[in-house]
Amino acid sequence: MNPLDPQEFRRQGHMIIDFLADYYQNIANYPVLSQVEPGYLRELMPYFAPLNPEPIETILQDLQQHIVPGITHWQSPNYFAYFPSSGSTAGFLGEMLSTGFNLVGFNWVSSPAATELESTVMDWLGQVLKLPKAFLFSGSGGGVLLGTTCEAILVTLVAARDKVLGQIGRENICKLVVYVSDQTHCAVQKAAHIIGIHHKNIRAVKTMKSTSFTLLPESLLSAIHTDVQNGLVPCYLCATVGTTSTTAVDPLGPLCKVAKEYGMWVHVDAAYAGSACICPEFRHLIDGVEGANSFSLNAHKWFLTNLDCCCLWLKDPASVIESLSTNSVYLDNSASDSNQVVDYKDWQITLSRRFRALKVWLVLRSYGVANLRNFLRSHVEMAKSFEELVRKDKRFEIFVPRNLAVVCFRLLPSAVARIGNGRVQNGDVTTEGVANEINRKLLDSINGSGLVYMTHANVGGVFVIRCAIGATLTEKTHVIMAWKVVQEHADAILNH
Ligand SMILES: *Cc1c(COP(=O)(O)O)cnc(C)c1O
């Protein structure tokens, strides 16, 4: 057996490419949300792993027959759930090359090109985003590719913690406070938990509908005042550009100003919306980023880069390196000793790391910044069209102003009033409660059709349906069809 026989690699590799090309060709025929029941696959699979080899042909048959039905098709043009996971040929090929080389680029010497290409594309992308020079290698900072935003938050939070504890003493870890809004991604809670910050010291500052669920500087300031009076020490603020529920944009400038007064680390989580900032007309979303310590976006969300690829820029990489550097005799090398190279193992949690830069490099080169901008714009335009369709139907409302390509909408309480009438009069439920129930029912019904897939958010106690446009194959016809599906299912529920 030769598991890396070049001839077999070529033959089987071509088969898989053909399989995937057919998959993309036919993807709209599948139910977007997988309709299988829990445990479906266990019953179809043999109880034991195979002892003897099986041909790829047989394995591919099983893939089509048993695995594909259990897949939710994130690449479907009718996929509007969560945030997009926009794949592309370039992103795929970059991933393939990375997997093909299968190198482990923990430090410079372990594969100089892996490190240097990563530094290059991070500066390229940073320039396209018009990040201040302080975040780039060509300035005094630098960028790194991680797997996910969760890692970016953990990495920056560790650095922030150690910086403050260096001043007040490690025994005072129980005094550190992390600030977020009630819309911030739960990744921050998890990271704080991992690094030993008590959940009591995570301040989820309340946001309001009237200010579009953004974190207000004055609310942050008042939370900090209370904490400081109680002898606590502000450590870290995570501001979000494009929250997961409604794509709310926290005002970076004023928030950074408040944070600076208290010596806090500010991380900007722009996981979804960051990509849009390559367009001059959306760049204002990150105005004020110059006051932050770190900034991250997920290229695997809306930048045609296949999962996984989180871009993190740091103003002061040394503070992260101080917290995360490791030394082991077997890693000794003269390049590292010379201090002339980047050793990315010290910028992340794990030691081993993949050659992710290839993906970003291929995406940027294959499409060019101009096309990437137009691609993002096309999604925003489609979202505008969807929004207009919703507005025309008086049974629905747009719940919060649309920022980019996510539309949050729901059936109005007035439209569903008849259904819950008796129960509202008895005082069993409120009209808002009925609206939540019916909107949930509507969403389940839409997704059960398999024609489209959308997800929900619960903001300020209100259940809203999110239509997130950004799948690579989505065109305007799909968006119009999606709205038709929503209307038909709403008709069925309301006229029942
Ligand atoms: C998607 C998202 C995350 C989580 O991203 P991962 O890469 O899955 O860790 C964090 N924050 C925001 C705002 C997001 O949209």
Side-chain angles (χ1 to χ4, degrees), residues 37-88:
E37 295 294 327
Y40 94 101
L41 191 59
R42 200 75 193 89
E43 289 175 9
L44 296 168
M45 291 283 123
Y47 194 68
F48 293 108
L51 189 60
N52 294 311
E54 297 180 70
I56 187 73
E57 288 80 359
T58 315
I59 299 170
L60 279 179
Q61 267 172 20
D62 286 350
L63 179 69
Q64 185 65 52
Q65 201 180 339
H66 299 319
I67 306 297
V68 170
I71 288 179
T72 291
H73 302 281
W74 287 64
Q75 302 310 311
S76 166
N78 302 313
Y79 177 93
F80 303 102
Y82 308 102
F83 280 129
S85 165
S86 67
S88 69

Side-chain angles (χ1 to χ4, degrees), residues 125 128-129 274-280 283 303 369 372-373 376:
L125 195 48
V128 176
L129 289 162
S275 298
C277 298
I278 66 166
C279 302
R283 172 58 176 76
F303 205 69
V369 174
L372 289 165
R373 285 184 179 131
L376 298 167

Side-chain angles (χ1 to χ4, degrees), residues 83 147-153 183-188 238 240-245 269-273 298 300-301 307-310 466:
F83 280 129
T148 66
T149 296
C150 287
E151 295 166 53
I153 289 172
Q183 300 298 310
T184 306
H185 196 278
C186 54
V188 182
C238 179
T240 309
V241 173
T243 57
T244 312
S245 291
D269 173 6
Y272 160 73
N298 277 349
H300 61 244
K301 271 189 173 143
L307 195 73
D308 54 1
C309 193
C310 173
R466 291 165 79 264

